Structures are given as C-alpha cells and as structure tokens.
Amino acid sequence: MSLDHSPVHPGPAHHTPARPEDLVEHDRVQTPLYEDAALFEQEMEKIFAHTWVFVAHGSEVPEKGSFVLSWVGQQPVIVVRDRKGDINVLVNRCRHRAATVCEVKKGKTSSFQCPYHGWGYGLDGSLRGVPYPEQYGKDFDKSTLGMKALRVDSYQNMIFATLDDGIEPLAEFLGPAKKWIDLFMKQGGGYPVKVLGEHQFTVPMNWKIQLENTTDAYHFPVVHKSFIQSLDKEAEATFNFFDKAGFVEDLGNGHSVAVMIPELVDLDENLDDPIPERFEELAQALRDEGFDEPRVRKIVRATGGAGFNLNLFPNVSLSLAFFRVLRPVGVKETAIRHVCLGMDGGPAAANRMRIRLQEHFQGPMGFGTPDDAEVWERVQRGTLGGKELPILVNRGLVDEVPGVDGPRGHLSAETGMRASYQMWKRMMAQ
Amino acid sequence: MSGITTVDKDIDLQELAAFVWREADILDRCDYDAWLALWTEDGHYIVPIGKGENYEDQVNVCYDDAKMRRMRVERFQQGFSISSAPPADTVRTVSRFVLQGATGDEIVLGCAEHVVENKFGRQRIYAANLTYTLVRTDDGLRIRNKVARLLNSDGELTAFSYLF
C-alpha cells in the first residue's frame, strides 16, 4: 500500500466516535488514536480492564504488611503483602462510601481503616469490622463487603494485576518476553534485583506515544545527542547502536524487544572483556572491599544494566537498569515512573553508581528524559495539524525478516510499534 | 538543619540575600558560565526526592558534583538538546531568608523559592525550599552546597530545562 493513500477522514471526535478497526493498518495509524476522548474511554475498558497491568516490583513490598500505592489503568490500587506473605492488589476504595482507605504512598501497616466512618480491612482486603454494626441488622454479611481484590500474578518478582478473571495466566500472556525478562534480571549481578527509588513525571500526551518509544531506537541518536555527547568516548561508542548487530523483534501480544548493545544482552557472558574506563573506579572500590576478580567483573558488568529494551504491552518497559511504567491519566495526559533498580544486598558502591547513572539520564532533570518528554509533547501538539494525515509506522518493513518469535527488523525499524498497534487493534475489537 | 551553631554577629543577612538574588538573576538569564563561577569545586548541587538526606545513596532528581555541573551547563549551551533549545523562560523570586548556622568560614542559609516557567504559551509554577552552604573566600561568597527541595519532590514533576 502506498503512503500517500489515506483511507480515513475522521470527523470531529465529539460527533462521530472513531471506529478502532479503521484506525490501525499494518504500516500506519490514524490521528484520533492520540486525541479522541471517546476512544480513550474504550481503551480503559477494553484494554486496561482486560489485560495484565504491571503494578509494582516485589522489592517494594518486602515484608508482611508492606504496601505501596499503584494504579491499574485509572483505578487506584494498593499492592500489599499480607500476613501469609501473599501479594494482594486491592482497589483503594472503601466499600461503604468509596473513600480511599490509604493516601500514604508506601509503608507498613497491620490493616487499612477508612477515615470516613471507620470501616476496617485486613491486609487481604477482608472487612474486619464496622463501628456500631447494629443498624445493619442480623443479615449483615461482612464476608461480601471486603475491598475489591484483583487477580494477581508475578514473574521474576514483577507484580501484575488484572480486573479480568477470564484472561490467560500471566506467563502465557508474556510468552517469549519471559526469556528477555530473565536476561534483564541478570543485572542483579548475583544479587536479587531491588527498587532503589524512582523518578516520576507527567507529560501532556496520549499514553500510546510513550508506549511506542521504548523499542524505537531510531530516535535515540537524534533526541539523545546531548546525552551521548556528555559521555566519554568509550561510553559514546557503547551507545552508538546502529553500527552493531542489533535488531528489534515482535514478541507477540504487543510485546517487543530492541537489542541495542548486543554484547550486553547476557550479562553472565564475556566476563573477561576489558572493564570500561567509566567503571574502572567502581572495579577498584570493589577490589578494595575484598571481592575477588570474577565477582568484581560480574558486578561491574551488571552495573550498567542490560543492553536491550523490552516493551511489555500495555504499561511497562524494561530498559538498561530501570523500569518505565506508564499510567494513562487522560486522553492527553500520561504519568511516567522511571524505577531505578539495584542489587539487593549488593555492594553500596555499585548501587551508588547505578543511582548516578539513573540521575544522569532519567527524570525531570536528566540528560535524556526532558528531551524525550519534549518530543512526546511535540507529537501531541503536532497531531492538531492535518488530522487527516496518517502517522507512519512503516519503517523497516522493506527488509523485515522472520525472527525467533516474530517479525524482526533493523534496530531502527518500527517493528515494535507495529507489534503494539496490532495488539491494540485486537483488544479494541473485542 | 539541626544543631544551630554560634552565629557570627558580623554576618549580614542582607549581604547573603543579595548574593542569592544575584544567582537567581543569573539563572533567569541562563548565564550559566557566571553561575558555574559562583561555586567552590568541592560541593554538590542537589535536587532531592522526598525527605531523605543521605543524598549519595538515594535517587535524586539531580546530584551534581563539579564535573556534572559543567556537563549540565555544556548541555544547556550546546543548543541541540531539544528540551533546552529554546529553554522555558523563567522568573523566580527568592525570599524568607533564615540564617541556619555558621561555623568557621561556612554559613548555612535557608530560603524559599518560587519559579514561574513559560513554555508553549503555558505557565507552570514550582516552589522549593533552598538550603545553601556558603563559604567566604578571597573572591567573596561562594556556594559549596545547594539543596533545592521541591514542594512536590516525591510526586509527579515535569521535565525541567532550567535549574532551581
């Protein structure tokens, strides 16, 4: 199909809601995807209420009673570890009059109590007691009035929840993405992976503009030129992706992987490679702490994170040494978390270095994030012009080949976006 | 700031305020070479997240030693960082100065800052508590440390193309 062909001329969104099946073709998508409020409402129902949504990493709720606030689509939830050590994901809403029962972002507790009328809930969401229950009469059945609990599953300590009891198990949904998650977690360097902190910011853009970004390596040398130039020559070469044997591959179910630094795909391999100059000081600090050379090399190699980006539909990406979590706030508003990962129980010097690397690129004042945020906002702003023009996702179709798990393209190909949009189309058609 | 030490009676709050106001003017004008010259080599410019004070071991919005400060300024000045070319226009006010302590040649000063930014025809406002560690040198006052704690530091921020 030629690119000047443009089959859809959507009218104003408030007059005729766009039909999802008309908006996504293999090589292009249509503008209403970014700005149609009615379509956004459908997405919350058809996608976010019927898929596995990442809510937290297990290290954020390490002990019995630990909790952290999170979101499933637009619904506020509490992720909490109960007395048995099980993880519960509870809708943050009292069953009585709907007040949130918790507004503390994270912490430890033995129960949740609604501040309005005092209804008390256990860590599994069960209703424990209500003040003055007599007025409810003898038939009052507390067992039916617990906080709404979502179905929960986890993989490699990444916790996902869903509002749909009927969908496939998480492992099946992740499919071929699982082996990439396994590789990603090798950055623990022999220690469990732990959340060290996070950067949070909002961008006035549709959530799918971010969804497209993590396995889009095409933008990296352009948008992140100032980051690349701030590195030493060796690191600059590491981030010079297109000279290498990288690729981007569709992993099914909307997931995709972009291999940017092939030599850093498996962090347990190539341990005899020379230590990059920027990690030399860390290596020496570890030697001084008494780590033997093989351990030093394993930890140092893991410290910079994995050499690929994995995008899990619909709301979480795994990139370098962080998770990128998106939350749709409104049709033109998206909240992003960049969750910094470290080595649980690992050497402080290595975790410190990871934190400094995170600060260098991520967050509202990083050398990378503000430039991403700017171009994402520019996409949203530009969408207002020429609404009939399609958004192109055709790059790399020309030499895409079958990969191990799905279509595989040049690292700069838009294979990842095509993967996401085909899943979007499939879910929206339900 | 705990443990207020003996405050030198000779410290003139007006002099300190004038120094901070000059820095604010420099930042609003994006005169970053002048800004770098206000610093001693050994200190940190920190925008922390949350209430923690162990900045080295926590994730901050930024934690810049002298090298990172220079790199940050270079990034602002090179002109190809899309978020800072052009940057947002800012107007800031700094007020509510409180002398928190002084030891030897070091002075700790707290104050409040409001920054209004304008970009894409949209204005945003940020508020921060600033804590300066200032030192007297032969060349006048210099900044050793500056901690800018945003009011919403552990919440959702936006991308910044300027300094606090």
Side-chain angles (χ1 to χ4, degrees), chain A residues 105 198-202 226 229-230 327 335 352 355-356 359-360 364-365 367 370-371 374 377 381, chain B residues 49 55-58 60 63 71-72 75 80-83 119-120 122 154-160:
Chain A
K105 285 176 183 167
E198 66 180 339
H199 288 118
Q200 300 176 71
F201 56 103
T202 56
S226 81
Q229 296 239 334
S230 72
R327 173 168 68 88
R352 233 173 253 149
I355 290 171
R356 297 290 91 79
E359 290 163 349
H360 189 160
M365 292 178 80
F367 286 30
D371 296 324
E374 174 99 5
E377 182 171 359
R381 294 168 71 80
Chain B
I49 294 174
Y55 308 120
E56 195 182 5
D57 290 310
Q58 72 189 32
N60 306 284
Y63 179 84
M71 277 162 52
R72 189 176 294 281
R75 177 172 172 273
F80 50 69
S81 156
I82 188 167
S83 63
K119 188 164 194 178
F120 292 134
R122 167 194 64 209
D154 67 346
E156 285 153 3
L157 303 169
T158 52
F160 301 122

Side-chain angles (χ1 to χ4, degrees), chain B residues 110-128:
Chain B
C111 51
E113 179 183 47
H114 291 162
V115 181
V116 181
E117 64 152 75
N118 183 65
K119 188 164 194 178
F120 292 134
R122 167 194 64 209
Q123 294 199 348
R124 289 168 165 157
I125 185 162
Y126 286 94

Side-chain angles (χ1 to χ4, degrees), chain B residues 103-116:
Chain B
T103 318
D105 63 356
E106 214 174 70
I107 301 159
V108 179
L109 177 75
C111 51
E113 179 183 47
H114 291 162
V115 181
V116 181

